[in-house]
Amino acid sequence: AGLQVSAGVAVFAAARRSVVHIRVRTFSPGALANARLDNDDEWEVLGPGEVYGSGTGFVWDGEGHVVTNYHVVSAPDTPARKRVIRATVTSQDTIQDHSVSAALVGADPDRDIALLRLSLDQLPSSFPALRPVQRGSSESLQVGQRVFAIGSPFGLPLTLTTGIISGLGREILPSSSPAEAQEQPLPSPNLGLVARRQRPIFNVIQTDAAINPGSSGGPLLDASGNVVGVTAAIASTAGGAFAGVGFALPIDTVARVVEKYLIPPPHEVPRAVLGVI
């Protein structure tokens, strides 16, 4: 037990500066013009038809890219409702954190992957450089292996949970299926948004590390502090409570999508289309 506690302390200490708390809100054009986006209290005062959600992400590189789930940032962005994304980053000192604007660079909705870019110029000059995560590989994962998840469940940033890999090669059904219980949009803060996905996601990691609304998009780490997955969904009973079955996207899949498609222009994943001539 003592070794497990020590491992958890070391993993959290190494990874905490790489984890980002993400908040998303839609504003009407008039409300956006008058909003103070750096005022946390104002974020929780919603106008008619506005949506507020939150989730987690992690720093991918030194350029300010952050990886998260697409359903965390999938609020509509239209002339009538403008989407605003804020990300809170933390320094080595737990008291010192700062919130900056973030832009959606690209996404793969069918795999529930999104790439953001932080406005690093909004950080004070004294703020230490962002620390990208240590990336591992999901290829050699084994059932029974200890893992750690860091997220913002119910709006509580930098929450660490632990468990094991319970299964490999699982499938997350399309989001219209009742078998998948992701964060649902509700008229209250600190709950994630959900995107309608038409295709299943294959080769998913199953874990019993606690994952709750707001945890989505956070890193799943091995005992060495390497990211091996991105927490994405839970299977639960009615009511959406965690029941010991969580799912994470394998980091090898995420890395391939991010590096090959989302970082380079045009920042999108091509889709094969069948047609009739």
Side-chain angles (χ1 to χ4, degrees):
L3 291 177
Q4 292 178 5
V5 171
S6 298
V9 171
V11 166
F12 183 75
R16 58 181 301 280
R17 276 185 55 196
S18 305
V19 180
V20 175
H21 177 45
I22 297 171
R23 296 174 297 160
V24 183
R25 180 171 166 183
T26 60
F27 290 86
S28 64
L32 181 60
N34 298 317
R36 283 191 54 201
L37 299 180
D38 59 348
N39 187 329
D40 287 345
D41 293 334
E42 190 164 329
W43 269 73
E44 298 188 12
V45 181
L46 299 182
E50 293 178 355
V51 175
Y52 177 101
S54 76
T56 308
F58 54 89
V59 179
W60 188 258
D61 56 27
E63 303 301 314
H65 288 117
V66 166
V67 168
T68 186
N69 288 141
Y70 176 66
H71 76 260
V72 170
V73 294
S74 63
D77 190 23
T78 67
R81 292 287 171 196
K82 300 304 293 181
R83 178 183 59 216
V84 176
I85 305 172
R86 298 286 290 180
T88 301
V89 294
T90 306
S91 72
Q92 189 64 35
D93 180 355
T94 57
I95 298 176
Q96 185 183 12
D97 56 29
H98 289 276
S99 180
V100 300
S101 300
L104 179 61
V105 175
D108 183 353
D110 285 334
R111 294 186 181 90
D112 202 12
I113 301 169
L115 184 70
L116 309 179
R117 187 160 191 171
L118 306 184
S119 297
L120 299 182
D121 59 333
Q122 296 177 4
L123 291 172
S125 58
S126 60
F127 198 86
L130 297 182
R131 178 184 294 172
V133 295
Q134 298 180 107
R135 270 182 263 162
S137 174
S138 49
E139 184 178 5
S140 58
L141 294 178
Q142 297 182 350
V143 173
Q145 182 176 338
R146 180 156 295 279
V147 288
F148 302 85
I150 303 178
S152 304
F154 305 107
L156 299 170
L158 293 177
T159 295
L160 176 72
T161 60
T162 184
I164 62 170
I165 293 177
S166 307
L168 296 167
R170 303 303 196 202
E171 176 182 347
I172 299 180
L173 299 176
S175 53
S176 58
S177 168
E180 181 187 0
Q182 291 183 335
E183 291 90 333
Q184 298 298 316
L186 297 173
S188 60
N190 298 329
L191 294 173
L193 303 167
V194 65
R196 289 299 169 195
R197 190 186 62 257
Q198 302 301 318
R199 303 179 182 180
I201 303 177
F202 300 101
N203 196 32
V204 173
I205 302 164
Q206 179 186 336
T207 179
D208 67 350
I211 299 171
N212 283 292
S215 299
S216 284
L220 186 73
L221 306 119
D222 64 16
S224 298
N226 300 311
V227 177
V228 296
V230 181
T231 57
I234 61 173
S236 74
T237 57
F242 179 70
V245 180
F247 300 103
L249 310 176
I251 194 63
D252 292 353
T253 299
V254 174
R256 183 173 65 253
V257 170
V258 169
E259 294 290 342
K260 187 174 182 179
Y261 298 115
L262 300 188
I263 290 180
H267 313 295
E268 60 186 25
V269 179
R271 293 294 178 211
V273 178
L274 295 177
V276 178
I277 298 178

